[in-house]
């Protein structure tokens, strides 16, 4: 892990990243349907996650050598199927589908940013295996094994860094070492890839001064006051899922939490 300067990586996927196969021009299946099938397949495989921005119509036209009408019909079909949604003037994005069993997904950073009319993005700056004893005190008791997976990332709103986040995962999620996590909602990734259904989370809020590393990553002066959030996330049968710490620039990003009281 280090505090090297980072640059925003927007949630944008080119046509080549979407496609595993080219359009078959000899097929009786309409080309717009083939293109829709390719994009839908990448979403269902988890390659494109909630909030990822789909390439522009021009990029898809150039990549596949099809007409703009073909591209537009493919995207319209996926919007109708609720695989994609559009934001005026911002682009086309992967939708959040089947959220009823994963309420935490629609309350995370990605969903909240979209509800505010902003474009979220995430850049992972490090992944490593560390001794469980190095987890911050607030979350250490959740780890029963000797090691854990630490993922550090910077979260952006409209290209501006707003959160420095460190996620601590039990080793049952070690596969995350080899999974692309940039511009992915952690909640939707765990749900799609590991079948996690979230049941709740708890927080500890404090105010802390920006360390030199935080200052460099978030673009604030050293010792600038930041909101420090410790979050513990749980799944079915109250099983521990992961713990994280977030250093938040509240002058730009307003942290929200909510609670639903069942009757």
């Amino acid at each position: 892990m280090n505090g090297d300067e980072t640059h925003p990586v927007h949630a944008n996927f080119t046509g080549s990243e979407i496609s595993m196969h080219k359009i078959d021009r000899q097929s009786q299946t309409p080309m717009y349907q083939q293109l829709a099938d390719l994009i839908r397949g990448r979403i269902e495989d988890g390659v494109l996650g909630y909030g990822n921005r789909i390439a522009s119509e021009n990029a898809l036209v150039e990549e596949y050598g099809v007409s703009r009408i073909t591209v537009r019909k493919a995207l319209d079909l996926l919007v109708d199927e609720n695989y994609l949604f559009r934001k005026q003037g911002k682009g086309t994005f992967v939708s959040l589908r089947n959220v009823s069993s994963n309420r935490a997904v629609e309350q995370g950073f990605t969903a909240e940013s979209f509800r505010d009319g902003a474009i979220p993005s995430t850049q992972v700056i490090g992944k490593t295996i560390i001794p469980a004893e190095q987890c911050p005190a607030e979350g250490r008791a959740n780890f029963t094994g000797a090691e854990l997976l630490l993922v550090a990332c910077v979260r952006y709103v409209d290209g501006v860094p707003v959160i420095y986040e460190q996620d601590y995962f039990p080793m049952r999620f070690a596969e995350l070492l080899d999974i692309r996590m940039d511009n992915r909602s952690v909640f939707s990734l765990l749900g799609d890839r590991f079948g996690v259904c979230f049941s709740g989370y708890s927080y500890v809020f404090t105010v802390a001064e920006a360390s030199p590393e935080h200052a460099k990553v978030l673009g604030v002066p050293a010792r600038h006051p930041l909101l420090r959030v410790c979050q513990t996330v749980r799944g079915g049968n109250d099983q521990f899922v992961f713990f994280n710490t977030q250093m938040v620039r509240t002058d730009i990003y307003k942290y929200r939490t909510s609670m639903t009281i069942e009757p």
Side-chain angles (χ1 to χ4, degrees):
M1 316 301 296
N2 58 64
D4 294 343
E5 184 175 1
T6 59
H7 302 279
V9 180
H10 296 286
N12 187 43
F13 285 79
T14 65
S16 59
E17 288 174 293
I18 289 174
S19 63
M20 294 180 66
H21 307 284
K22 294 294 185 180
I23 299 295
D24 181 0
R25 298 180 183 277
Q26 305 304 315
S27 173
Q28 294 184 356
T29 301
M31 287 189 288
Y32 82 88
Q33 181 69 64
Q34 293 184 54
L35 180 56
D37 291 344
L38 290 173
I39 299 173
R40 186 190 302 103
R42 301 302 267 173
I43 295 171
E44 292 180 343
D45 289 344
V47 177
L48 297 176
Y50 170 57
N52 287 161
R53 181 164 49 198
I54 301 300
S56 68
E57 290 184 3
N58 286 340
L60 292 173
V61 166
E62 181 177 353
E63 173 70 19
Y64 290 98
V66 296
S67 70
R68 184 180 296 274
I69 292 176
T70 295
V71 170
R72 193 163 295 167
K73 287 181 69 175
L75 298 182
D76 285 346
L77 176 61
L78 293 172
V79 169
D80 290 342
E81 294 177 350
N82 197 31
Y83 280 91
L84 302 177
F85 70 96
R86 292 186 172 99
K87 289 187 71 70
Q88 184 68 32
K90 295 182 182 293
T92 304
F93 301 85
V94 178
S95 294
L96 181 60
R97 307 177 77 240
N98 301 320
V99 299
S100 59
S101 62
N102 276 296
R103 299 299 294 176
V105 178
E106 65 177 356
Q107 296 176 1
F109 168 80
T110 302
E112 291 288 358
S113 297
F114 275 121
R115 275 195 284 270
D116 287 343
I119 301 300
S121 56
T122 300
Q123 182 180 38
V124 173
I125 59 176
K127 296 181 182 181
T128 187
I129 303 297
I130 64 171
E133 63 191 28
Q134 292 185 17
C135 179
E138 294 92 339
R140 195 175 303 150
N142 294 297
F143 294 94
T144 56
E147 295 180 322
L148 56 82
L149 169 62
L150 170 60
V151 178
C153 63
V154 182
R155 298 194 180 274
Y156 299 83
V157 171
D158 291 333
V160 178
V162 295
I163 301 175
Y164 175 82
E165 181 173 322
Q166 292 183 303
D167 297 322
Y168 299 83
F169 297 95
M171 290 305 294
R172 70 178 185 275
F173 297 121
E175 184 183 344
L176 291 172
L177 274 171
D178 302 316
I179 296 176
R180 183 182 183 277
M181 296 177 67
D182 289 323
N183 298 318
R184 298 292 302 272
S185 160
V186 174
F187 289 123
S188 63
L189 175 59
L190 293 178
D192 294 342
R193 193 65 178 248
F194 298 95
V196 175
C197 288
F198 301 95
S199 62
Y201 35 81
S202 59
Y203 297 94
V204 175
F205 297 96
T206 56
V207 176
E209 294 180 344
S211 68
E213 179 181 14
H214 299 147
K216 188 172 185 179
V217 169
L218 295 177
V220 297
R223 304 186 68 181
H224 182 82
L226 300 171
L227 175 66
R228 181 176 183 265
V229 181
C230 295
Q231 181 187 48
T232 301
V233 181
R234 299 196 173 275
N237 298 319
D238 204 36
Q239 182 184 33
F240 171 68
V241 179
F242 74 100
F243 170 81
N244 71 25
T245 61
Q246 303 168 44
M247 302 297 291
V248 184
R249 285 190 61 177
T250 56
D251 58 320
I252 298 177
Y253 180 75
K254 304 306 179 185
Y255 202 97
R256 296 187 182 91
T257 183
S258 62
M259 176 182 297
T260 299
I261 300 176
E262 298 294 338

